[in-house]
Structures are given as C-alpha cells and as structure tokens.
PDB file of all heavy atoms in Angstrom:
ATOM      1  N   LEU A   1       0.822  -1.207  -0.001  1.00 98.00           N
ATOM      2  CA  LEU A   1       0.000   0.002   0.002  1.00 98.00           C
ATOM      3  C   LEU A   1       0.859   1.261   0.000  1.00 98.00           C
ATOM      4  O   LEU A   1       1.943   1.308   0.592  1.00 98.00           O
ATOM      5  CB  LEU A   1      -0.940  -0.006   1.197  1.00 98.00           C
ATOM      6  CG  LEU A   1      -2.160  -0.925   1.028  1.00 98.00           C
ATOM      7  CD1 LEU A   1      -2.781  -1.273   2.366  1.00 98.00           C
ATOM      8  CD2 LEU A   1      -3.182  -0.261   0.112  1.00 98.00           C
ATOM      9  N   LYS A   2       0.329   2.280  -0.684  1.00 98.00           N
ATOM     10  CA  LYS A   2       1.011   3.557  -0.821  1.00 98.00           C
ATOM     11  C   LYS A   2       0.126   4.665  -0.243  1.00 98.00           C
ATOM     12  O   LYS A   2      -1.098   4.515  -0.183  1.00 98.00           O
ATOM     13  CB  LYS A   2       1.252   3.852  -2.301  1.00 98.00           C
ATOM     14  CG  LYS A   2       2.020   2.781  -3.049  1.00 98.00           C
ATOM     15  CD  LYS A   2       2.109   3.107  -4.524  1.00 98.00           C
ATOM     16  CE  LYS A   2       2.860   2.037  -5.296  1.00 98.00           C
ATOM     17  NZ  LYS A   2       2.947   2.353  -6.751  1.00 98.00           N
ATOM     18  N   PRO A   3       0.713   5.779   0.144  1.00 97.00           N
ATOM     19  CA  PRO A   3      -0.111   6.881   0.654  1.00 97.00           C
ATOM     20  C   PRO A   3      -1.205   7.306  -0.325  1.00 97.00           C
ATOM     21  O   PRO A   3      -2.307   7.682   0.103  1.00 97.00           O
ATOM     22  CB  PRO A   3       0.905   7.998   0.866  1.00 97.00           C
ATOM     23  CG  PRO A   3       2.178   7.281   1.178  1.00 97.00           C
ATOM     24  CD  PRO A   3       2.155   6.052   0.302  1.00 97.00           C
ATOM     25  N   GLU A   4      -0.937   7.204  -1.613  1.00 97.00           N
ATOM     26  CA  GLU A   4      -1.937   7.594  -2.595  1.00 97.00           C
ATOM     27  C   GLU A   4      -3.102   6.619  -2.700  1.00 97.00           C
ATOM     28  O   GLU A   4      -4.074   6.880  -3.416  1.00 97.00           O
ATOM     29  CB  GLU A   4      -1.305   7.790  -3.982  1.00 97.00           C
ATOM     30  CG  GLU A   4      -0.454   6.644  -4.460  1.00 97.00           C
ATOM     31  CD  GLU A   4       1.031   6.865  -4.187  1.00 97.00           C
ATOM     32  OE1 GLU A   4       1.375   7.323  -3.061  1.00 97.00           O
ATOM     33  OE2 GLU A   4       1.841   6.561  -5.082  1.00 97.00           O
ATOM     34  N   ASP A   5      -3.025   5.501  -1.998  1.00 98.00           N
ATOM     35  CA  ASP A   5      -4.171   4.579  -1.927  1.00 98.00           C
ATOM     36  C   ASP A   5      -5.181   5.022  -0.875  1.00 98.00           C
ATOM     37  O   ASP A   5      -6.252   4.425  -0.746  1.00 98.00           O
ATOM     38  CB  ASP A   5      -3.696   3.159  -1.606  1.00 98.00           C
ATOM     39  CG  ASP A   5      -2.846   2.558  -2.702  1.00 98.00           C
ATOM     40  OD1 ASP A   5      -3.206   2.722  -3.886  1.00 98.00           O
ATOM     41  OD2 ASP A   5      -1.829   1.909  -2.367  1.00 98.00           O
ATOM     42  N   THR A   6      -4.844   6.031  -0.100  1.00 98.00           N
ATOM     43  CA  THR A   6      -5.747   6.539   0.925  1.00 98.00           C
ATOM     44  C   THR A   6      -7.039   7.034   0.296  1.00 98.00           C
ATOM     45  O   THR A   6      -7.019   7.862  -0.613  1.00 98.00           O
ATOM     46  CB  THR A   6      -5.081   7.675   1.714  1.00 98.00           C
ATOM     47  OG1 THR A   6      -3.956   7.154   2.418  1.00 98.00           O
ATOM     48  CG2 THR A   6      -6.056   8.309   2.689  1.00 98.00           C
ATOM     49  N   ALA A   7      -8.163   6.495   0.768  1.00 98.00           N
ATOM     50  CA  ALA A   7      -9.475   6.837   0.201  1.00 98.00           C
ATOM     51  C   ALA A   7     -10.554   6.101   0.975  1.00 98.00           C
ATOM     52  O   ALA A   7     -10.255   5.215   1.787  1.00 98.00           O
ATOM     53  CB  ALA A   7      -9.544   6.448  -1.270  1.00 98.00           C
ATOM     54  N   VAL A   8     -11.787   6.472   0.698  1.00 98.00           N
ATOM     55  CA  VAL A   8     -12.917   5.647   1.124  1.00 98.00           C
ATOM     56  C   VAL A   8     -13.173   4.641   0.005  1.00 98.00           C
ATOM     57  O   VAL A   8     -13.298   5.021  -1.165  1.00 98.00           O
ATOM     58  CB  VAL A   8     -14.174   6.487   1.379  1.00 98.00           C
ATOM     59  CG1 VAL A   8     -15.345   5.592   1.764  1.00 98.00           C
ATOM     60  CG2 VAL A   8     -13.911   7.522   2.467  1.00 98.00           C
ATOM     61  N   TYR A   9     -13.216   3.375   0.379  1.00 98.00           N
ATOM     62  CA  TYR A   9     -13.405   2.294  -0.585  1.00 98.00           C
ATOM     63  C   TYR A   9     -14.854   1.823  -0.530  1.00 98.00           C
ATOM     64  O   TYR A   9     -15.379   1.527   0.552  1.00 98.00           O
ATOM     65  CB  TYR A   9     -12.450   1.149  -0.288  1.00 98.00           C
ATOM     66  CG  TYR A   9     -11.038   1.445  -0.740  1.00 98.00           C
ATOM     67  CD1 TYR A   9     -10.263   2.398  -0.092  1.00 98.00           C
ATOM     68  CD2 TYR A   9     -10.481   0.791  -1.843  1.00 98.00           C
ATOM     69  CE1 TYR A   9      -8.976   2.699  -0.516  1.00 98.00           C
ATOM     70  CE2 TYR A   9      -9.191   1.078  -2.273  1.00 98.00           C
ATOM     71  CZ  TYR A   9      -8.451   2.039  -1.603  1.00 98.00           C
ATOM     72  OH  TYR A   9      -7.174   2.323  -2.034  1.00 98.00           O
ATOM     73  N   TYR A  10     -15.456   1.731  -1.713  1.00 98.00           N
ATOM     74  CA  TYR A  10     -16.860   1.358  -1.830  1.00 98.00           C
ATOM     75  C   TYR A  10     -17.004   0.069  -2.609  1.00 98.00           C
ATOM     76  O   TYR A  10     -16.352  -0.130  -3.644  1.00 98.00           O
ATOM     77  CB  TYR A  10     -17.646   2.444  -2.558  1.00 98.00           C
ATOM     78  CG  TYR A  10     -17.708   3.768  -1.855  1.00 98.00           C
ATOM     79  CD1 TYR A  10     -16.757   4.744  -2.092  1.00 98.00           C
ATOM     80  CD2 TYR A  10     -18.730   4.040  -0.944  1.00 98.00           C
ATOM     81  CE1 TYR A  10     -16.810   5.966  -1.444  1.00 98.00           C
ATOM     82  CE2 TYR A  10     -18.793   5.270  -0.296  1.00 98.00           C
ATOM     83  CZ  TYR A  10     -17.823   6.224  -0.551  1.00 98.00           C
ATOM     84  OH  TYR A  10     -17.898   7.439   0.089  1.00 98.00           O
ATOM     85  N   CYS A  11     -17.891  -0.764  -2.140  1.00 97.00           N
ATOM     86  CA  CYS A  11     -18.273  -1.985  -2.840  1.00 97.00           C
ATOM     87  C   CYS A  11     -19.436  -1.668  -3.768  1.00 97.00           C
ATOM     88  O   CYS A  11     -20.315  -0.858  -3.448  1.00 97.00           O
ATOM     89  CB  CYS A  11     -18.681  -3.028  -1.804  1.00 97.00           C
ATOM     90  SG  CYS A  11     -19.148  -4.624  -2.468  1.00 97.00           S
ATOM     91  N   ASN A  12     -19.467  -2.340  -4.907  1.00 95.00           N
ATOM     92  CA  ASN A  12     -20.474  -2.080  -5.933  1.00 95.00           C
ATOM     93  C   ASN A  12     -20.961  -3.404  -6.506  1.00 95.00           C
ATOM     94  O   ASN A  12     -20.160  -4.328  -6.713  1.00 95.00           O
ATOM     95  CB  ASN A  12     -19.844  -1.220  -7.031  1.00 95.00           C
ATOM     96  CG  ASN A  12     -20.691  -1.087  -8.270  1.00 95.00           C
ATOM     97  OD1 ASN A  12     -20.637  -1.946  -9.156  1.00 95.00           O
ATOM     98  ND2 ASN A  12     -21.467  -0.036  -8.343  1.00 95.00           N
ATOM     99  N   ALA A  13     -22.266  -3.489  -6.734  1.00 94.00           N
ATOM    100  CA  ALA A  13     -22.852  -4.673  -7.369  1.00 94.00           C
ATOM    101  C   ALA A  13     -23.706  -4.241  -8.550  1.00 94.00           C
ATOM    102  O   ALA A  13     -24.469  -3.279  -8.445  1.00 94.00           O
ATOM    103  CB  ALA A  13     -23.709  -5.445  -6.368  1.00 94.00           C
ATOM    104  N   ARG A  14     -23.561  -4.944  -9.666  1.00 92.00           N
ATOM    105  CA  ARG A  14     -24.347  -4.632 -10.855  1.00 92.00           C
ATOM    106  C   ARG A  14     -25.050  -5.879 -11.356  1.00 92.00           C
ATOM    107  O   ARG A  14     -24.411  -6.884 -11.689  1.00 92.00           O
ATOM    108  CB  ARG A  14     -23.461  -4.054 -11.953  1.00 92.00           C
ATOM    109  CG  ARG A  14     -23.022  -2.631 -11.719  1.00 92.00           C
ATOM    110  CD  ARG A  14     -22.259  -2.099 -12.916  1.00 92.00           C
ATOM    111  NE  ARG A  14     -20.915  -2.652 -12.982  1.00 92.00           N
ATOM    112  CZ  ARG A  14     -20.320  -3.038 -14.101  1.00 92.00           C
ATOM    113  NH1 ARG A  14     -20.946  -2.961 -15.261  1.00 92.00           N
ATOM    114  NH2 ARG A  14     -19.095  -3.506 -14.081  1.00 92.00           N
ATOM    115  N   ASP A  15     -26.399  -5.824 -11.379  1.00 88.00           N
ATOM    116  CA  ASP A  15     -27.215  -6.900 -11.944  1.00 88.00           C
ATOM    117  C   ASP A  15     -28.458  -6.226 -12.495  1.00 88.00           C
ATOM    118  O   ASP A  15     -29.537  -6.320 -11.945  1.00 88.00           O
ATOM    119  CB  ASP A  15     -27.572  -7.917 -10.863  1.00 88.00           C
ATOM    120  CG  ASP A  15     -28.507  -8.982 -11.395  1.00 88.00           C
ATOM    121  OD1 ASP A  15     -28.248  -9.484 -12.500  1.00 88.00           O
ATOM    122  OD2 ASP A  15     -29.501  -9.288 -10.720  1.00 88.00           O
ATOM    123  N   GLY A  16     -28.289  -5.496 -13.567  1.00 85.00           N
ATOM    124  CA  GLY A  16     -29.369  -4.627 -14.026  1.00 85.00           C
ATOM    125  C   GLY A  16     -29.299  -3.340 -13.216  1.00 85.00           C
ATOM    126  O   GLY A  16     -28.798  -2.330 -13.661  1.00 85.00           O
ATOM    127  N   ALA A  17     -29.767  -3.400 -11.992  1.00 87.00           N
ATOM    128  CA  ALA A  17     -29.627  -2.264 -11.075  1.00 87.00           C
ATOM    129  C   ALA A  17     -28.214  -2.220 -10.506  1.00 87.00           C
ATOM    130  O   ALA A  17     -27.480  -3.210 -10.551  1.00 87.00           O
ATOM    131  CB  ALA A  17     -30.644  -2.394  -9.936  1.00 87.00           C
ATOM    132  N   THR A  18     -27.840  -1.050  -9.988  1.00 91.00           N
ATOM    133  CA  THR A  18     -26.530  -0.856  -9.363  1.00 91.00           C
ATOM    134  C   THR A  18     -26.719  -0.552  -7.888  1.00 91.00           C
ATOM    135  O   THR A  18     -27.555   0.281  -7.527  1.00 91.00           O
ATOM    136  CB  THR A  18     -25.785   0.298 -10.031  1.00 91.00           C
ATOM    137  OG1 THR A  18     -25.559  -0.037 -11.405  1.00 91.00           O
ATOM    138  CG2 THR A  18     -24.445   0.529  -9.356  1.00 91.00           C
ATOM    139  N   SER A  19     -25.952  -1.222  -7.050  1.00 93.00           N
ATOM    140  CA  SER A  19     -26.018  -1.013  -5.611  1.00 93.00           C
ATOM    141  C   SER A  19     -24.641  -0.621  -5.087  1.00 93.00           C
ATOM    142  O   SER A  19     -23.620  -1.090  -5.607  1.00 93.00           O
ATOM    143  CB  SER A  19     -26.484  -2.286  -4.898  1.00 93.00           C
ATOM    144  OG  SER A  19     -27.747  -2.706  -5.375  1.00 93.00           O
ATOM    145  N   TRP A  20     -24.632   0.207  -4.031  1.00 95.00           N
ATOM    146  CA  TRP A  20     -23.391   0.652  -3.397  1.00 95.00           C
ATOM    147  C   TRP A  20     -23.441   0.385  -1.910  1.00 95.00           C
ATOM    148  O   TRP A  20     -24.499   0.471  -1.278  1.00 95.00           O
ATOM    149  CB  TRP A  20     -23.191   2.152  -3.604  1.00 95.00           C
ATOM    150  CG  TRP A  20     -22.937   2.565  -5.008  1.00 95.00           C
ATOM    151  CD1 TRP A  20     -23.860   2.970  -5.933  1.00 95.00           C
ATOM    152  CD2 TRP A  20     -21.664   2.606  -5.666  1.00 95.00           C
ATOM    153  NE1 TRP A  20     -23.233   3.262  -7.121  1.00 95.00           N
ATOM    154  CE2 TRP A  20     -21.882   3.051  -6.986  1.00 95.00           C
ATOM    155  CE3 TRP A  20     -20.348   2.317  -5.273  1.00 95.00           C
ATOM    156  CZ2 TRP A  20     -20.844   3.205  -7.909  1.00 95.00           C
ATOM    157  CZ3 TRP A  20     -19.325   2.466  -6.192  1.00 95.00           C
ATOM    158  CH2 TRP A  20     -19.565   2.910  -7.489  1.00 95.00           C
ATOM    159  N   GLY A  21     -22.272   0.076  -1.336  1.00 96.00           N
ATOM    160  CA  GLY A  21     -22.149   0.017   0.098  1.00 96.00           C
ATOM    161  C   GLY A  21     -21.917   1.407   0.663  1.00 96.00           C
ATOM    162  O   GLY A  21     -21.848   2.402  -0.060  1.00 96.00           O
ATOM    163  N   GLN A  22     -21.742   1.449   2.011  1.00 96.00           N
ATOM    164  CA  GLN A  22     -21.595   2.746   2.679  1.00 96.00           C
ATOM    165  C   GLN A  22     -20.146   3.225   2.669  1.00 96.00           C
ATOM    166  O   GLN A  22     -19.876   4.380   2.982  1.00 96.00           O
ATOM    167  CB  GLN A  22     -22.111   2.641   4.126  1.00 96.00           C
ATOM    168  CG  GLN A  22     -21.119   2.054   5.125  1.00 96.00           C
ATOM    169  CD  GLN A  22     -20.907   0.562   4.966  1.00 96.00           C
ATOM    170  OE1 GLN A  22     -21.616  -0.119   4.228  1.00 96.00           O
ATOM    171  NE2 GLN A  22     -19.899   0.034   5.666  1.00 96.00           N
ATOM    172  N   GLY A  23     -19.220   2.347   2.336  1.00 97.00           N
ATOM    173  CA  GLY A  23     -17.813   2.711   2.259  1.00 97.00           C
ATOM    174  C   GLY A  23     -17.044   2.383   3.523  1.00 97.00           C
ATOM    175  O   GLY A  23     -17.605   2.329   4.620  1.00 97.00           O
ATOM    176  N   THR A  24     -15.752   2.157   3.345  1.00 98.00           N
ATOM    177  CA  THR A  24     -14.849   1.924   4.473  1.00 98.00           C
ATOM    178  C   THR A  24     -13.568   2.705   4.216  1.00 98.00           C
ATOM    179  O   THR A  24     -13.035   2.716   3.109  1.00 98.00           O
ATOM    180  CB  THR A  24     -14.565   0.417   4.662  1.00 98.00           C
ATOM    181  OG1 THR A  24     -13.794   0.221   5.849  1.00 98.00           O
ATOM    182  CG2 THR A  24     -13.849  -0.202   3.478  1.00 98.00           C
ATOM    183  N   GLN A  25     -13.082   3.373   5.261  1.00 98.00           N
ATOM    184  CA  GLN A  25     -11.921   4.256   5.116  1.00 98.00           C
ATOM    185  C   GLN A  25     -10.632   3.444   5.155  1.00 98.00           C
ATOM    186  O   GLN A  25     -10.433   2.611   6.050  1.00 98.00           O
ATOM    187  CB  GLN A  25     -11.901   5.291   6.248  1.00 98.00           C
ATOM    188  CG  GLN A  25     -10.686   6.203   6.244  1.00 98.00           C
ATOM    189  CD  GLN A  25     -10.690   7.187   5.091  1.00 98.00           C
ATOM    190  OE1 GLN A  25     -11.702   7.834   4.814  1.00 98.00           O
ATOM    191  NE2 GLN A  25      -9.550   7.325   4.418  1.00 98.00           N
ATOM    192  N   VAL A  26      -9.768   3.720   4.202  1.00 98.00           N
ATOM    193  CA  VAL A  26      -8.407   3.173   4.193  1.00 98.00           C
ATOM    194  C   VAL A  26      -7.437   4.346   4.225  1.00 98.00           C
ATOM    195  O   VAL A  26      -7.501   5.233   3.369  1.00 98.00           O
ATOM    196  CB  VAL A  26      -8.157   2.305   2.943  1.00 98.00           C
ATOM    197  CG1 VAL A  26      -6.685   1.920   2.841  1.00 98.00           C
ATOM    198  CG2 VAL A  26      -9.047   1.063   2.971  1.00 98.00           C
ATOM    199  N   THR A  27      -6.569   4.347   5.232  1.00 98.00           N
ATOM    200  CA  THR A  27      -5.582   5.404   5.365  1.00 98.00           C
ATOM    201  C   THR A  27      -4.194   4.780   5.391  1.00 98.00           C
ATOM    202  O   THR A  27      -3.922   3.905   6.226  1.00 98.00           O
ATOM    203  CB  THR A  27      -5.806   6.224   6.629  1.00 98.00           C
ATOM    204  OG1 THR A  27      -7.124   6.784   6.615  1.00 98.00           O
ATOM    205  CG2 THR A  27      -4.788   7.354   6.744  1.00 98.00           C
ATOM    206  N   VAL A  28      -3.345   5.216   4.468  1.00 98.00           N
ATOM    207  CA  VAL A  28      -1.982   4.716   4.391  1.00 98.00           C
ATOM    208  C   VAL A  28      -1.053   5.855   4.783  1.00 98.00           C
ATOM    209  O   VAL A  28      -0.908   6.839   4.055  1.00 98.00           O
ATOM    210  CB  VAL A  28      -1.645   4.198   2.986  1.00 98.00           C
ATOM    211  CG1 VAL A  28      -0.241   3.581   2.978  1.00 98.00           C
ATOM    212  CG2 VAL A  28      -2.689   3.197   2.522  1.00 98.00           C
ATOM    213  N   SER A  29      -0.443   5.718   5.937  1.00 97.00           N
ATOM    214  CA  SER A  29       0.372   6.811   6.464  1.00 97.00           C
ATOM    215  C   SER A  29       1.346   6.264   7.490  1.00 97.00           C
ATOM    216  O   SER A  29       1.049   5.301   8.210  1.00 97.00           O
ATOM    217  CB  SER A  29      -0.523   7.864   7.115  1.00 97.00           C
ATOM    218  OG  SER A  29       0.252   8.877   7.742  1.00 97.00           O
TER     219      SER A  29
END
C-alpha cells in the first residue's frame, strides 16, 4: 500500500440495477 491509496473504498454490485455500500476508510500513512 502507498499513501496515494488513501481513500474511502466502496463496494459495488451490478445486476441490471446498481447497488453501493456505505464505504470503508483506508488510510496509508
């Protein structure tokens, strides 16, 4: 992991409709 990977990471599902999770924070420091 690199500092530039720091972000909120979201899961996504596509089956016709698109769904998103609430996100999880990843901090590289």
Side-chain angles (χ1 to χ4, degrees):
L1 283 160
K2 304 175 181 180
E4 51 263 44
D5 295 317
T6 295
V8 178
Y9 283 70
Y10 296 91
C11 181
N12 169 274
R14 285 185 285 139
D15 176 45
T18 298
S19 302
W20 293 93
Q22 82 288 350
T24 186
Q25 176 70 47
V26 171
T27 302
V28 184
S29 175

